[in-house]
Amino acid sequence: MADYKSLERQMASGKTVEVPPELRAWLSRRKRLYIGGEWVEGKGGLTFPTLNPATEETLSEIGLAAREDVDLAVTVARSAFERGEWASRPIRERATVVRRIGDLILEHRVPLAILESLDSGKPVRESFEGDLPRAAGNFHFFADFALQEEGMYFDNGTDTHHAFREPLGVVALVTPWNLPLYLETWKIAPALMMGNSVVLKPSELTPLTAIYFTELLQQVDLPKGVFSLVHGFGENSTGEFLVSHKGVDAISFTGETSTGRAIMRAASVGPTRVSFELGGKGASVVFEDASFEEAVSESVRAAFRNQGEICLASPRLFVARSRYEEFVEQFVDQARKIVVGDPLDYATTMGALISQEHLNKVTGYIHGAEGHGNLVFGGLRPNHLARGYFLQPTVLTGLSLDHPISREEVFGPVVSIYPFDTEAEVVRAVNDTPYGLSASVWTRDLDRANRTARSLRTGLVWVNSWFVRDLRVPFGGQKRSGLGREGGKFSLDFYSEWKSVCIKNPLSVGNP
Ligand code: NAD
């Protein structure tokens, strides 16, 4: 066991984290699939590499799940469900296991944070202080929340009706690379809490923390087959085999809107229940009366945290014309202070983008803006970094609202700032994209905040804040940003079936 306490001290003192030899040895072992409580080789014997985006080196070889492996994972998940060792276990006992999973994540926060940063390129400080506590929090939250739920009971004299939840069956979870373990656990925790069997397919670009997490799951009392992990790509590969499988009862997917469309077509085999958390094109609206310093610094965070690779990011900034120049100046000053560098250095505030392909896509958008707007900061690979998919935080102004950067999801550290004159105008501008996930409004005027929040066609609006979550409220997008809601009761609804039972009351005998 590595001395993770000393690594934690290294992190706390702001030093670069050394990958301990134990974790290096772990990485060097070929990774397999986890099906029916066993680590198994993929049937085709194929593997694919997962790369470190900061060094472009291979971190590990990952076993690829063929169609037969996916089939086996779904079959064992079904038989585990039907055996009922988990599905029929009293919910209080399931909660004890689910809570313990959260504890295990916290106990292994250091190696998990290092793996997450190695695999995704994000700063280890964000993994350690943000993603990992949130991942553990998903288990703690759903263990407690599900226990507080009330059923229904109605007595109308001649008969009584009561309704309660039942597990759904086999759920397929398909997740992206940008917040890997955090988003996987957001689905696994309520799915397990509701008594389902789970088959997880993490992103092919960031499979490592899911593997380490699955090793941790072996320490808890989860019957064989209740949790399986399969690896591979999307189209014509593991992801598609899973979502088109007739044995799957529900699919929870987070990823691109275009992938959501493909999954919806595949899910028609059931038809299978789906929940989609899709792309976004968030915005911050800064009114002239906003608490200015806070609006600037939070807008910088909303634009560049996690290299801008967050569905809830705000890559569009609308600023009241009277404060526009001042805002751009201060925003750029702060963007300049962002430290782009080695994700394992605790002082780094922006790491590497996920892949060469993604870097090409993001820089393609920046080049496409030439001649249409002004590049006021960034736009280039940082000179001091010889390798890795790094990009400077990039700030553009002067683009029209119908430019692709203003409407499409770039999903990188690129923001575009626009002046506005009236509330009606800015509401129209924010709503003028196919997406509708999130927005932030900065003002001290309560009526204006309320009016604007209600006029924006997004699933979430933050007023004078960004990225603050309460897991009880519905989470999801309007328009092309999603289908359905997760969070609190909404997750429990998705991962369970309601059953209503009617019992005829006995005729009363004698005096009532
Ligand atoms: P992606 O859609 O390319 O891939 C997501 C997952 O789907 C991966 O595991 C991939 O292998 C799988 N997949 C791809 N094609 C598939 C297919 N045809 N059938 C089955 N599975 C398939 O998304 P990404 O690039 O990994 O992630 C970035 C996207 O995720 C962005 O659009 C971002 O906005 C979105 N996202 C949304 C939220 C949200 O809560 N709304 C959160 C995070 C990320």
Side-chain angles (χ1 to χ4, degrees):
M1 178 81 174
D3 177 8
Y4 289 125
K5 281 284 156 221
S6 98
L7 280 173
E8 207 167 328
R9 282 193 296 277
Q10 267 179 39
M11 288 186 180
S13 62
K15 294 198 181 119
T16 302
V17 176
E18 297 290 337
V19 181
E22 291 80 352
L23 212 47
R24 285 197 184 283
W26 184 88
L27 284 166
S28 69
R29 289 194 287 275
R30 172 172 155 155
K31 302 290 175 284
R32 293 180 289 173
L33 315 171
Y34 187 73
I35 299 177
E38 316 272 340
W39 290 99
V40 295
E41 296 291 346
K43 290 279 189 297
L46 299 175
T47 62
F48 62 94
T50 184
L51 303 186
N52 179 342
T55 62
E56 306 178 32
E57 288 162 358
T58 296
L59 287 163
S60 268
E61 282 295 327
I62 313 293
L64 178 72
R67 195 186 282 277
E68 300 96 292
D69 300 304
V70 173
D71 204 24
L72 183 63
V74 174
T75 306
V76 300
R78 170 70 51 202
S79 60
F81 184 72
E82 282 168 4
R83 283 199 311 277
E85 295 155 13
W86 181 251
S88 305
R89 197 180 285 188
I91 190 164
R92 259 179 207 291
E93 292 177 23
R94 290 205 299 259
T96 306
V97 174
V98 167
R99 202 172 292 113
R100 177 71 193 127
I101 298 172
D103 295 345
L104 281 168
I105 292 179
L106 286 183
E107 286 164 23
H108 293 79
R109 186 172 158 192
V110 171
L112 281 168
I114 294 173
L115 288 177
E116 200 73 295
S117 289
L118 286 173
D119 214 12
S120 70
K122 74 175 63 194
V124 73
R125 182 180 197 137
E126 279 177 22
S127 308
F128 188 69
E129 295 178 14
D131 296 27
L132 267 303
R134 281 182 174 217
N138 287 335
F139 288 97
H140 294 146
F141 168 77
F142 279 109
D144 293 340
F145 184 81
L147 286 184
Q148 308 198 349
E149 260 237 315
E150 292 175 357
M152 291 181 206
Y153 174 83
F154 305 102
D155 183 345
N156 59 27
T158 52
D159 35 59
T160 53
H161 298 254
H162 65 287
F164 49 88
R165 294 183 187 282
E166 288 186 335
L168 190 62
V170 176
V171 300
L173 309 179
V174 179
T175 51
W177 48 262
N178 66 317
L179 301 166
L181 193 63
Y182 173 50
L183 292 176
E184 288 149 17
T185 55
W186 171 241
K187 300 178 190 300
I188 298 167
L192 287 181
M193 226 10 249
M194 288 291 95
N196 300 293
S197 295
V198 168
V199 181
L200 170 67
K201 209 269 325 149
S203 168
E204 58 275 27
L205 296 171
T206 51
L208 291 180
T209 44
I211 297 168
Y212 198 98
F213 166 82
T214 305
E215 292 181 3
L216 295 180
L217 279 190
Q218 293 177 277
Q219 298 181 31
V220 301
D221 176 18
L222 209 54
K224 283 184 193 310
V226 168
F227 180 87
S228 293
L229 175 67
V230 291
H231 295 292
F233 303 87
E235 200 178 355
N236 293 321
S237 178
T238 320
E240 190 176 320
F241 304 150
L242 181 59
V243 297
S244 57
H245 201 291
K246 286 194 179 136
V248 165
D249 296 296
I251 302 163
S252 176
F253 165 71
T254 300
E256 285 190 16
T257 299
S258 56
T259 311
R261 282 190 199 105
I263 294 182
M264 190 131 197
R265 284 193 293 275
S268 69
V269 292
T272 311
R273 181 185 293 200
V274 294
S275 170
F276 288 165
E277 298 186 339
L278 306 177
K281 187 71 185 176
S284 291
V285 178
V286 181
F287 287 100
E288 60 193 358
D289 66 334
S291 167
F292 205 68
E293 268 177 34
E294 210 189 342
V296 175
S297 58
E298 281 297 288
S299 299
V300 169
R301 214 165 67 87
F304 300 126
R305 189 187 161 103
N306 209 51
Q307 302 74 242
E309 297 166 329
I310 300 191
C311 53
L312 303 169
S314 285
R316 295 178 299 157
L317 295 174
F318 295 92
V319 183
R321 194 175 298 277
S322 60
R323 311 215 62 178
Y324 176 76
E325 302 287 336
E326 184 189 0
F327 184 94
V328 173
E329 195 177 310
Q330 292 193 22
F331 188 92
V332 169
D333 274 355
Q334 291 203 21
R336 211 183 292 282
K337 292 185 189 134
I338 289 175
V339 182
V340 184
D342 179 0
L344 292 190
D345 183 340
Y346 218 67
T348 291
T349 50
M350 201 166 102
L353 273 64
I354 187 68
S355 64
Q356 182 67 59
E357 190 188 349
H358 190 55
L359 178 64
N360 292 348
K361 173 184 154 189
V362 175
T363 48
Y365 273 105
I366 299 172
H367 295 146
E370 278 166 25
H372 298 273
N374 316 306
L375 179 66
V376 286
F377 186 70
L380 300 172
R381 270 197 96 266
N383 288 331
H384 66 287
L385 296 159
R387 282 179 307 170
Y389 314 125
F390 292 98
L391 182 65
Q392 293 170 328
T394 299
V395 185
L396 297 151
T397 59
L399 288 175
S400 68
L401 288 175
D402 57 5
H403 190 275
I405 292 191
S406 307
R407 297 178 52 77
E408 296 171 14
E409 187 182 42
V410 177
F411 217 57
V414 179
V415 319
S416 178
I417 316 185
Y418 315 82
F420 70 87
D421 294 300
T422 67
E423 197 178 303
E425 174 200 344
V426 77
V427 165
R428 251 196 325 276
V430 172
N431 286 340
D432 187 20
T433 83
Y435 298 104
L437 191 55
S438 65
S440 282
V441 177
W442 294 87
T443 177
R444 290 189 172 101
D445 179 336
L446 184 60
D447 284 346
R448 175 147 68 188
N450 211 350
R451 255 192 332 265
T452 313
R454 283 160 188 264
S455 311
L456 295 176
R457 287 201 60 206
T458 56
L460 275 119
V461 179
W462 283 288
V463 174
N464 298 329
S465 55
W466 176 74
F467 211 44
V468 183
R469 296 283 313 280
D470 182 316
L471 303 187
R472 290 170 295 189
V473 303
F475 176 88
Q478 298 191 6
K479 301 196 285 184
R480 299 291 176 255
S481 283
L483 195 64
R485 294 290 181 273
E486 296 195 19
K489 150 182 193 316
F490 302 87
S491 294
L492 303 191
D493 281 344
F494 180 75
Y495 294 109
S496 67
E497 293 279 20
W498 275 99
K499 175 170 283 177
S500 305
V501 175
C502 165
I503 303 179
K504 188 146 185 60
N505 289 346
L507 290 174
S508 53
V509 179
N511 289 332

